[in-house]
Amino acid sequence: MINILIFGPPGSGKGTQSVKLAEKFNLSHHSTGDMLRAEIAAGTELGKKMSSIMSKGELVPDEVVIEMIADKIDSTKGVAGFLFDGFPRTVVQTDELEKMLNARGMKIDSMLVLNVDHDELVKRLIVRAEQSGRPDDMDPAVIENRINVYKAKTEPIIEYCRKRGIYQSVNGMGTIEEIFERLSGMIKKILK
Ligand code: ADP
């Protein structure tokens, strides 16, 4: 089993690329953002609590996403590995993920970071808002806050992964296909 983190600021293309990569390499794709939006759509108590945090562009509490991921790790079978998208987002989440994987004889094998210019991120999120109707993409102030939260709370994970020798950076500018080819090449090497 290989475990890959796909990383990058909001709008960097993590979700789009993860869906394609999961299919190509038989990886189980887990997006905590999608899981949280599913809770909101289903009108659960958890969804109601998380929705106001998400609409401000803040992070939901670590325990909430850690529990969601733990459930998935134990219930997923018959795949070549996991592709974590939008998780972990804090150093605490990263530590917990590593512990969960270690306890099951696995580890984080690679962190692939998509690098995209700030102006391009904002442009992509505005286009996405029109298509997806995601409330957190509609408001430029919320977009800016999410990018700032990424820098403050999520980027420190890069150093954590660099120390472990699993950090790899990818050019996230270009067409979806171009970026997919770059990421596929890297995953092929990890699988060897
Ligand atoms: P994006 O990366 O495009 O902003 P996501 O779908 O990954 O979108 O996340 C949307 C929102 O869901 C985040 O702004 C945050 O409020 C919440 N969220 C998702 N994953 C996590 C996580 N691992 N930890 C804390 N909050 C999360």
Side-chain angles (χ1 to χ4, degrees), residues 9-11 14 31-34 36-37 53-54 57-60 65 86-89 93 125 128 134 136 146:
K14 302 181 296 279
S31 154
T32 42
D34 286 349
L36 289 163
R37 280 185 290 277
I53 302 176
M54 290 167 70
E58 297 294 328
L59 296 182
V60 309
V65 283
F87 177 89
R89 251 180 162 91
Q93 291 177 21
L125 290 171
R128 185 168 83 185
R134 264 179 62 173
D136 58 346
R146 281 155 61 210

Side-chain angles (χ1 to χ4, degrees), residues 14 17 19 23 43 53 59 63 76 92 94 97 101 109 120 126 128 133 142 150 156-157 164 175 186 192:
K14 302 181 296 279
Q17 296 295 335
V19 170
E23 197 190 346
I53 302 176
L59 296 182
E63 334 54 280
T76 306
V92 171
T94 316
L97 176 63
L101 293 173
D109 294 285
E120 173 70 14
I126 289 168
R128 185 168 83 185
V142 173
Y150 175 81
I157 303 172
R164 283 163 175 71
T175 66
M186 294 166 104
K192 266 188 197 152

